[in-house]
Amino acid sequence: MQVGNPSTSTPFFDPRPLSTSGPAYSFVDDVVVGNSFLVQTNYKGAFSTSDNWLVGLSWLDENARTPDNVAGVYTSGDITTDTKWTNDAPILLTGQVFVRGATLTIEAGTMIMAYRDDGTDSGVAPALVIERNASIIAVGAQNNPITFTSA
């Protein structure tokens, strides 16, 4: 979720990898036994898929150019088959989501968090769009609401 060369004109970016498959998660070195300073991880580099340590510590965060430190389900693109969003992890809208000819069911208590923009040079705002001939079933409760907010 990042622009190739972020700069002060970059509107928004998330430095975390989108998934645990890929070069950052392959052939990870082991920490030498007895080394109490280093911590073993399952990835290479500074960021895991869930920890954005820039929050609270960087110019990017102070200027609202990086998302909250929230782990969740990255979501963008088309939904063309019946899909259910559950409340066990936040739904992170990283781009525009179009429900096309399918039903999106959102479980009570689900939190949907939209990024500021899609992280590309086009700067498209993430959104959930239910098109004609598609439907949404979203029934929250007073004590278990469905929440849409920013990431």
Side-chain angles (χ1 to χ4, degrees):
M1 280 307 305
Q2 76 177 29
V3 176
N5 296 307
S7 70
T8 55
S9 64
T10 301
F12 185 84
F13 94 116
D14 187 345
R16 299 172 291 186
L18 289 175
S19 73
T20 58
S21 62
Y25 288 84
S26 301
F27 306 109
V28 176
D29 294 330
D30 290 329
V31 172
V32 176
V33 175
N35 184 329
S36 60
F37 178 74
L38 299 176
V39 176
Q40 184 67 47
T41 65
N42 65 342
Y43 57 91
K44 299 175 193 173
F47 296 96
S48 68
T49 56
S50 61
D51 187 25
N52 181 6
W53 54 263
L54 292 176
V55 173
L57 297 173
S58 70
W59 177 90
L60 290 166
D61 184 55
E62 288 175 10
N63 290 276
R65 300 206 181 171
T66 185
D68 291 338
N69 194 13
V70 175
V73 179
Y74 294 104
T75 306
S76 67
D78 295 343
I79 295 175
T80 57
T81 60
D82 292 351
T83 300
K84 183 176 185 177
W85 287 352
T86 59
N87 62 16
D88 55 345
I91 304 298
L92 304 174
L93 298 182
T94 60
Q96 294 185 336
V97 176
F98 292 87
V99 181
R100 300 174 189 240
T103 298
L104 172 62
T105 303
I106 304 176
E107 203 172 63
T110 301
M111 178 177 290
I112 297 97
M113 303 179 81
Y115 279 22
R116 180 174 170 187
D117 73 25
D118 66 357
T120 67
D121 291 333
S122 63
V124 174
L128 175 61
V129 179
I130 312 301
E131 293 190 345
R132 185 178 297 168
N133 298 320
S135 60
I136 183 170
I137 300 171
V139 181
Q142 184 174 355
N143 62 347
N144 205 16
I146 295 169
T147 306
F148 283 80
T149 188
S150 60

